């Protein structure tokens, strides 16, 4: 699959942009696990224009992790256009427009999935961004619609293609669904199989297993898949999916020791990236909380792990987990 001249290979697997998740340390792990394309955390257009340090840091990309896209969001056209120009100057591989984030603080203010309530403005914003960017492919990530009464994605996809986007990612839920219920891939398939569509269509939503990835390609015909929440605390999911897509066979499950080693490495690299031990530990807690989900008799150890504020002590707890649950052995053997 190609996005303009960017060749991502056959049946590529993409890492979704996620706030407070897809920073450089996490992307590095996903890259090593065979993610074909990754995105930064989504960045507010107004913050880019104001040169806010915390937001500008999200634009940093290492050459070793390319290709990487930068995703921006906002509710007004002019600031989004200006932000896209600034982002292009940092030389990302892709500029992606966020029309899919459902959280209230973003969608409720008319940005992200909030743009789905005004499709003409959404299309015009996209058109102006495409025209303002000189050399970088512009893509869009969106949802099926605002709610069940406004699933206009087939028509919206055509209109976005007509104003010049290079690829479209569709999350198979409405904004009203947030992350509840099941993703509806039938509409994603309708977009892909629409004879008017010629840009790559990337499917997103509920891909948590290698088998689910294979179904997405075979049943719905998408050009690529995107994995989001299933990668939190489990960046090696890309290796599992890649191996299954290529061979039809499943990799052996990750061991508890292997998981602990990955988390310790992520902790060290996050400390180096953020430059503050306590802030780094707070940052990786989301991954720690999810990584051992379902591990038998884990509650007290989990509480200690998530309360720890010193790296050496946290690593000691992780080592304890590797020893204490070694008989459990593999992550697929977790018992509730």
């Amino acid at each position: 699959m190609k996005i303009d001249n960017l060749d991502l290979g056959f049946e590529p697997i993409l890492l979704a942009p996620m706030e407070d998740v897809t920073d450089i340390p996490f992307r590095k792990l996903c890259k090593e696990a065979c993610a074909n394309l990754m995105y930064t955390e989504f960045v507010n257009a107004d913050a880019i224009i104001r040169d806010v340090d915390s937001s500008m840091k999200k634009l940093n990309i290492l050459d070793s992790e390319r290709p990487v896209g930068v995703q921006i969001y906002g509710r007004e056209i002019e600031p989004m256009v200006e932000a896209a120009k600034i982002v292009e100057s940092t030389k990302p591989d892709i500029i992606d427009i966020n029309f899919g984030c459902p959280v209230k603080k973003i969608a409720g203010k008319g940005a992200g999935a909030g743009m789905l309530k005004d499709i003409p403005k959404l299309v015009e914003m996209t058109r102006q961004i495409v025209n303002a960017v000189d050399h970088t492919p512009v893509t869009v990530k969106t949802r099926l619609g605002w709610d069940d009464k406004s699933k206009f994605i087939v028509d919206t996809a055509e209109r976005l293609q007509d104003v010049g986007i290079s690829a479209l990612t569709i999350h198979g839920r409405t904004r009203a669904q947030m992350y509840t219920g099941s993703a509806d891939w039938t509409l994603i398939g309708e977009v892909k199989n629409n004879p008017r569509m010629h840009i790559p269509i990337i499917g997103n939503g509920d891909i948590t297993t290698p088998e689910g990835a294979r179904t997405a390609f075979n049943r719905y015909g998408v050009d690529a898949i995107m994995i989001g929440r299933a990668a939190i605390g489990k960046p090696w999911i890309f290796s599992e999916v890649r191996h299954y897509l290529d061979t039809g066979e499943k990799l052996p499950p990750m061991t508890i020791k292997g998981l602990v080693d990955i988390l310790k490495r992520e902790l060290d690299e996050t400390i180096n990236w953020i430059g503050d031990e306590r802030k780094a530990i707070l940052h990786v807690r989301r991954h720690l909380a999810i990584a051992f989900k379902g591990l038998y008799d884990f509650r007290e150890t989990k509480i200690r792990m998530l309360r720890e504020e010193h790296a050496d002590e946290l690593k000691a707890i992780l080592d304890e987990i590797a020893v204490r649950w070694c008989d459990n052995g593999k992550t697929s053997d977790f018992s509730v």
Side-chain angles (χ1 to χ4, degrees), residues 39-242:
Y39 291 86
T40 64
E41 303 171 70
F42 44 84
V43 194
N44 182 279
D46 293 328
I48 293 172
I49 294 170
R50 297 197 311 270
D51 198 26
V52 176
D53 286 343
S54 59
S55 295
M56 298 305 290
K57 189 173 183 179
K58 294 178 182 179
L59 305 183
N60 292 336
I61 296 171
L62 303 180
D63 286 339
S64 60
E65 61 173 338
R66 291 184 183 275
V68 177
V70 171
Q71 189 185 75
I72 59 175
Y73 73 93
R75 65 180 180 181
E76 299 301 335
I77 294 176
E78 185 175 342
M80 283 286 283
V81 171
E82 184 62 28
K85 293 178 183 178
I86 295 170
V87 168
E88 185 175 38
S89 71
T90 69
K91 302 187 183 307
D93 298 286
I94 287 171
I95 296 174
D96 191 68
I97 308 173
N98 181 332
F99 293 142
C101 180
V103 299
K104 185 176 181 179
K105 69 178 182 179
I106 293 176
K109 295 179 180 179
M115 292 294 295
L116 291 167
K117 298 179 76 173
D118 190 344
I119 299 299
K121 182 178 179 181
L122 177 153
V123 173
E124 177 60 18
M125 176 183 286
T126 304
R127 184 188 69 80
Q128 290 197 32
I129 291 173
V130 169
N131 291 341
V133 171
D134 292 326
H135 308 294
T136 309
V138 175
T139 61
V140 164
K141 184 171 189 287
T142 190
R143 289 184 168 230
L144 303 179
W146 177 257
D147 55 25
D148 284 341
K149 297 179 180 179
S150 58
K151 293 182 179 180
F152 305 135
I153 188 59
V154 175
D155 176 70
T156 301
E158 289 187 11
R159 296 174 68 178
L160 288 169
Q161 175 180 259
D162 290 347
V163 297
I165 66 169
S166 297
L168 175 64
T169 301
I170 305 170
H171 182 106
R173 289 181 173 87
T174 64
R175 188 274 170 177
Q177 283 182 271
M178 300 291 287
Y179 295 103
T180 62
S182 299
D184 179 3
W185 278 73
T186 58
L187 279 175
I188 299 176
E190 282 189 35
V191 174
K192 173 56 191 173
N193 295 305
N194 180 352
R196 284 207 65 239
M197 298 300 296
H198 56 78
I199 61 172
I201 302 300
I202 302 156
N204 175 226
D206 294 351
I207 297 179
T208 60
T209 65
E211 295 90 340
R214 172 47 66 206
T215 297
F217 283 113
N218 288 0
R219 183 177 299 172
Y220 303 104
V222 293
D223 298 285
I225 58 170
M226 179 177 283
I227 296 176
R229 290 172 295 157
I232 302 175
K234 189 181 177 180
W236 67 89
I237 189 174
F238 295 96
S239 295
E240 294 179 339
V241 172
R242 179 79 277 149

Side-chain angles (χ1 to χ4, degrees), residues 323-335:
V323 172
R324 182 177 175 186
W325 277 272
C326 63
D327 291 338
N328 197 202
K330 302 172 183 179
T331 55
S332 64
D333 296 330
F334 286 2
S335 300

